[in-house]
Every structure is written in structure tokens, then in C-alpha cells.
């Protein structure tokens, strides 16, 4: 017969799995929301990337290469960003309709429920990122198995970190209107200041320093470094996203991303575990 400790751990894992499964089922059933969530990054890649690539001379594009190749890592990040943040929005919504109060009476830790929610959000975001990853041909990115594996791993870590940040915002903001207003105000500037679309070398020094303080910067660049290694664009060419003379390694950026996610998840679980 299992010991009480093993039974308690099993109960916690089952509770987290139920919450995770709920998020995945919502993703599979709501195909319209999935299609709308995928439209923006696809339009950025196929319309914005192609349009700017045609308007801007090749010599003026980052590194003199195809602008869509430069844009592709940023599009992947934007793809996982919205479903990951939506997991935080669902916490606020569940609180408003009373569903959150119902599941909090379960004989499990509150942190377990939040971890299940974050795992579900990260899974959904990663799946959507993999769908857009299939459009690599449009950005002249090869379907090399090692490259696809590296990009999938980076997307999974980015999804988990962004989901943790969304959960942190959700446990601090109790009203849906406020939550949406804060995200609308913060997300788009963070995307533009991450080097996803515009190299930092084209920005004024004070604006480039803001980019270095932006967490999204350290989520986009590892994906770009992975793409560089398997495309005709050299590191010197595509690396113009960073100021000259300094660019952290992909391993360091992944470590920074993981640290941000772990810190956000720790604070979120601490606040979520406190009695209302």
C-alpha cells in the first residue's frame, strides 16, 4: 500500500494534470481562436516581411540578407506570446465567473493548480509556435532536424517563461479590464524593443539600452542564433541586432530566460497560495 506521502504526491500530480488537460482541451476545441491567434504572426511574416523586403534595398536590410530570415525568430516569439499570456487572462476570467473559487476548495496546494495552469498554457503556446515553425520555407530557413529541435526547445522555454509572467500579472491584477489594458500597453512596445523587427544598431543609444533591459530580447536572440547557424547568413551579418562588440551567447540568454521564468513563477505561486 502506498505511503501517505506518495499518495499526497500522486494527488498533487493528478490535480495538476487535470488543470493542464483543461487548457489543452480548450485549445483543441476552439479552432477559431487558434486560427485568429495564428493570423497575426503569419501576416507579419508573409505580408510585412515580404513588403518591407521588396521596399528596402538588399544593402539596407540587416546584414544585406533577406529581411524575412531576420524577422522569422521574432515571428516565432510573437506566436507563443499571445497564447502564453492568455493563460494568465484565463486566471482572471476564472476568478470573475467564480470557477477559480470552486477549484480552490480541492484538497491540493494552490501552487499545484497554478503550476498546472502554467504547464497547460506553455503547452498550447508551444504547439502554436510549432505550427508557425512549419512556415520556415517562407523565410528561407532550412528544415534541418537539429535546427528544428533547437527552435522547438527555445520555443518551449520561451512559452513557459511568458506563461509564468502572465500568471504573475494575473495574480496581481484582479479585474479583466485592467489586465487587458496593462497588457495592451506593455506588450507591443516590448516586442518592438526586443530586436524582433528592428536591429538595435538602428536605434538611438538610450533606446538601445531599453532593449537590453527588455526580457523579450533574451528570448528572441537565441532563436536567431540557431537560425544563423543553418542559413547562408553569417553570424556577423545577422548579428546586427545587437550593439557592436557585445552579444551574449545563446546559452547565457537561455539561462537568463529560465531565470526570469523561475522568478516569475516563484512570486506568482507565493501570491496565489496566500488566502484571499
Amino acid at each position: 500500500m502506498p505511503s501517505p506521502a506518495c499518495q499526497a504526491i500522486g494527488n498533487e500530480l493528478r490535480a495538476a494534470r487535470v488543470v493542464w488537460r483543461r487548457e489543452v482541451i480548450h485549445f483543441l476545441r476552439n479552432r477559431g481562436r487558434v486560427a485568429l491567434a495564428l493570423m497575426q504572426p503569419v501576416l507579419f511574416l508573409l505580408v510585412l516581411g515580404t513588403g518591407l523586403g521588396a521596399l528596402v534595398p538588399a544593402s539596407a536590410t540587416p546584414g544585406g540578407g533577406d529581411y524575412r530570415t531576420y524577422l522569422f525568430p521574432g515571428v516565432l516569439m510573437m506566436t507563443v506570446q499571445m497564447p502564453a499570456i492568455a493563460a494568465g487572462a484565463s486566471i482572471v476570467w476564472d476568478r470573475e465567473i467564480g470557477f477559480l473559487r470552486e477549484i480552490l476548495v480541492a484538497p491540493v496546494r494552490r501552487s499545484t493548480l497554478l503550476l498546472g495552469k502554467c504547464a497547460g498554457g506553455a503547452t498550447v503556446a508551444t504547439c502554436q509556435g510549432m505550427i508557425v515553425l512549419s512556415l520556415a520555407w517562407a523565410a528561407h530557413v532550412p528544415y534541418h532536424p537539429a535546427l528544428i529541435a533547437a527552435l522547438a526547445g527555445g520555443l518551449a522555454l520561451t512559452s513557459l517563461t511568458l506563461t509564468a509572467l502572465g500568471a504573475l500579472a494575473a495574480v496581481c491584477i484582479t479585474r479583466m479590464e485592467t489586465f487587458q489594458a496593462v497588457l495592451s500597453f506593455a506588450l507591443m512596445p516590448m516586442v518592438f524593443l526586443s530586436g524582433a523587427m528592428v536591429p538595435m544598431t538602428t536605434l538611438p543609444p538610450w533606446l538601445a539600452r531599453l532593449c537590453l533591459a527588455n526580457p523579450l530580447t533574451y528570448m528572441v536572440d537565441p532563436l536567431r542564433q540557431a537560425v544563423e547557424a543553418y542559413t547562408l547568413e553569417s553570424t556577423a551579418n545577422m548579428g546586427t541586432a545587437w550593439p557592436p562588440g557585445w552579444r551574449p551567447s545563446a546559452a547565457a540568454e537561455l539561462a537568463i530566460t529560465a531565470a526570469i521564468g523561475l522568478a516569475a513563477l516563484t512570486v506568482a505561486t507565493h501570491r496565489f497560495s496566500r488566502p484571499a
Side-chain angles (χ1 to χ4, degrees):
M1 182 176 179
S3 65
C6 291
Q7 289 181 345
I9 294 175
N11 291 336
E12 298 289 333
L13 291 176
R14 281 192 293 272
R17 185 182 63 183
V18 168
V19 177
W20 169 85
R21 188 166 177 265
R22 177 175 179 257
E23 295 297 314
V24 175
I25 290 175
H26 283 177
F27 168 68
L28 295 176
R29 288 182 177 177
N30 198 342
R31 298 179 182 178
R33 189 186 73 174
V34 174
L36 289 175
L38 292 174
M39 282 184 62
Q40 182 179 16
V42 170
L43 288 175
F44 266 105
L45 179 63
L46 299 182
V47 178
L48 179 65
T50 303
L52 291 181
L55 292 175
V56 179
S59 59
T61 57
D66 194 328
Y67 179 71
R68 285 174 296 181
T69 305
Y70 177 86
L71 184 64
F72 187 63
V75 168
L76 291 177
M77 188 275 296
M78 286 188 290
T79 303
V80 302
Q81 174 186 266
M82 292 312 298
I85 297 299
S90 69
I91 296 177
V92 181
W93 178 249
D94 287 345
R95 182 189 294 117
E96 287 195 353
I97 65 175
F99 178 79
L100 187 61
R101 184 168 55 252
E102 294 178 4
I103 65 173
L104 288 179
V105 300
V108 294
R109 297 174 182 270
R110 291 188 172 192
S111 58
T112 298
L113 302 175
L114 185 64
L115 291 175
K117 174 75 73 172
C118 290
T123 301
V124 170
T126 303
C127 289
Q128 293 195 190
M130 295 301 295
I131 294 175
V132 175
L133 185 56
S134 65
L135 297 175
W137 59 269
H140 308 294
V141 175
Y143 292 100
H144 193 284
L147 173 59
I148 299 301
L151 292 176
L155 287 175
L157 179 60
T158 299
S159 300
L160 186 58
T161 299
L162 290 174
T163 304
L165 291 172
L168 177 59
V171 299
C172 296
I173 303 173
T174 58
R175 296 184 62 84
M176 178 60 73
E177 296 82 359
T178 306
F179 184 85
Q180 292 177 339
V182 170
L183 290 185
S184 299
F185 175 78
L187 285 183
M188 191 54 67
M190 290 179 68
V191 169
F192 279 102
L193 291 176
S194 66
M197 300 180 184
V198 181
M200 282 184 262
T201 50
T202 64
L203 302 176
W206 67 271
L207 203 53
R209 285 191 288 270
L210 289 179
C211 296
L212 299 179
N214 183 4
L216 297 186
T217 302
Y218 304 96
M219 302 178 193
V220 175
D221 197 61
L223 303 177
R224 180 165 289 122
Q225 292 197 45
V227 170
E228 290 172 12
Y230 292 91
T231 60
L232 296 178
E233 309 296 338
S234 68
T235 301
N237 284 340
M238 289 189 67
T240 53
W242 288 84
W246 185 79
R247 188 189 194 188
S249 65
E253 291 174 327
L254 291 174
I256 292 172
T257 300
I260 293 172
L262 181 60
L265 194 58
T266 301
V267 177
T269 53
H270 175 71
R271 291 184 61 91
F272 191 72
S273 298
R274 295 187 305 182

